[in-house]
Amino acid sequence: MSAARIAVVVRPEQSPEDLVRHARYADEVGIDEVWLWEDCFFGGGIATAATVLAETDRVGVAIGVLPTPMRNTAITAMEISALARVHPDRLRVGFGHGVQSWMRQIGAKAESPLTLLREQFGAVERLLGGESVTVSGRYVNLTDVTLAWPPEKVPQLLVGATGPKTLALSGELAQGTVLSGGSTPDGVRRAIAHIGASDHEVVVYVICAFGSGGRERALAEAAASGSESPEDAIAAGTAAEVAAAARRWVAAGATTVVLQPTVDEPDVREFIRFVAQEVQPLVA
């Protein structure tokens, strides 16, 4: 298991051009990993990740997560493979059910999201591994599909999960699990029990804010997310307070703590600098 890391989300509410600028700044100031969301109806996850990878030199880029109902299995594997070949060891990709109201809105809602996730994840993993894949499933159907350019090293593939059944599926299939913002340290412990796998990455988004009114903004966002205990689901205050909070999730079993600015964060660039230069060293 790798050592715990601190990462940041650059939220899709930023315009694509601002998002890339923020990611480039994160690379410059020493952030270890930038996470991107594929939320409806902002910039696409693969396109944004490709641009960020091309515009930066060393920062890791993670997509958390790609909604499986929106994506064709073969094309998803082709796109991930291209990114992994051009930018080896800098990419992680998560797969999830997608927000069901959004999936219904675009006419892609699956009757059995769990079955779709199992079928697509398994087929993408096999394709990236260089296999010739034939599968006839409920949602995924491939006949003798082989990637012409599989990656030399398959990037880490994760599953975004909240419910017990998806958490168990993640433990069965994936190298890691992504837990949403609003998860408390106790929630991480419960999720790990459902995952039931050893040597498994556990990524958790943690709502974070600092400066004047920061705690109030973080609490409001945690409450809006449906967190069982907003006070226990945020990291807010000074650098020392945020670092101490991050260590609570690490102690609960998280291997990556992704600090998530609130949607109304007034200075995203300063948030990134604060995490890189003031919080990250204290956690390390």
Side-chain angles (χ1 to χ4, degrees):
M1 184 71 69
S2 59
R5 72 176 84 182
I6 300 296
V8 297
V9 175
V10 181
R11 299 179 63 130
E13 289 88 354
Q14 301 292 312
S15 68
E17 55 272 28
D18 283 343
L19 189 151
V20 172
R21 282 194 285 268
H22 292 319
R24 191 184 302 124
Y25 181 66
D27 189 41
E28 292 170 359
V29 297
I31 288 291
D32 190 37
E33 189 173 54
V34 167
W35 280 73
L36 308 171
W37 295 346
E38 185 166 73
D39 278 2
C40 292
F41 298 97
F42 298 100
I46 294 289
T48 304
T51 307
V52 168
L53 285 163
E55 290 284 327
T56 55
D57 295 321
R58 47 132 224 113
V59 69
V61 176
I63 307 172
V65 296
L66 298 177
T68 53
M70 293 177 64
R71 299 194 150 269
N72 175 273
T73 299
I75 291 174
T76 300
M78 291 160 60
E79 291 180 329
I80 293 172
S81 180
L83 291 181
R85 287 184 67 95
V86 176
H87 306 283
D89 296 317
R90 291 183 58 199
L91 178 69
R92 294 203 280 176
V93 182
F95 294 78
H97 297 313
V99 176
Q100 294 304 291
S101 61
W102 287 341
M103 298 304 100
R104 186 180 300 108
Q105 188 177 0
I106 63 172
K109 188 177 184 300
E111 186 177 340
S112 176
L114 202 68
T115 301
L116 171 57
L117 181 58
R118 176 185 288 279
E119 290 181 0
Q120 186 173 122
F121 187 97
V124 168
E125 185 176 47
R126 291 175 62 195
L127 288 167
L128 292 174
E131 295 184 39
S132 177
V133 179
T134 295
V135 60
S136 179
R138 182 173 179 181
Y139 297 103
V140 176
N141 291 275
L142 303 171
T143 303
D144 297 329
V145 176
T146 308
L147 294 183
W149 296 105
E152 295 183 9
K153 182 180 178 182
V154 177
Q156 188 178 82
L157 304 179
L158 309 99
V159 164
T162 53
K165 291 182 179 179
T166 309
L167 288 165
L169 183 69
S170 182
E172 177 189 343
L173 297 182
Q175 296 168 286
T177 301
V178 183
L179 304 176
S180 63
S183 300
T184 66
D186 282 343
V188 170
R189 293 184 182 94
R190 290 194 298 271
I192 290 172
H194 288 298
I195 291 165
S198 59
D199 195 27
H200 188 87
E201 294 284 338
V202 178
V203 179
V204 61
Y205 292 115
V206 174
I207 298 164
C208 178
F210 61 95
S212 177
R215 177 170 294 277
E216 290 74 19
R217 286 190 290 110
L219 283 171
E221 188 149 314
S225 75
S227 174
E228 61 184 354
S229 177
E231 282 282 357
D232 296 325
I234 65 169
T238 65
E241 289 171 325
V242 171
R247 287 193 290 268
R248 291 171 44 230
W249 277 272
V250 174
T255 56
T256 299
V257 176
V258 188
L259 295 178
Q260 171 185 322
T262 61
V263 69
D264 57 352
E265 169 57 49
D267 192 338
V268 175
R269 187 179 176 94
E270 175 58 16
F271 179 91
I272 292 168
R273 186 209 63 78
F274 174 80
V275 174
Q277 298 182 350
E278 299 188 39
V279 176
Q280 215 168 229
L282 294 178
V283 178

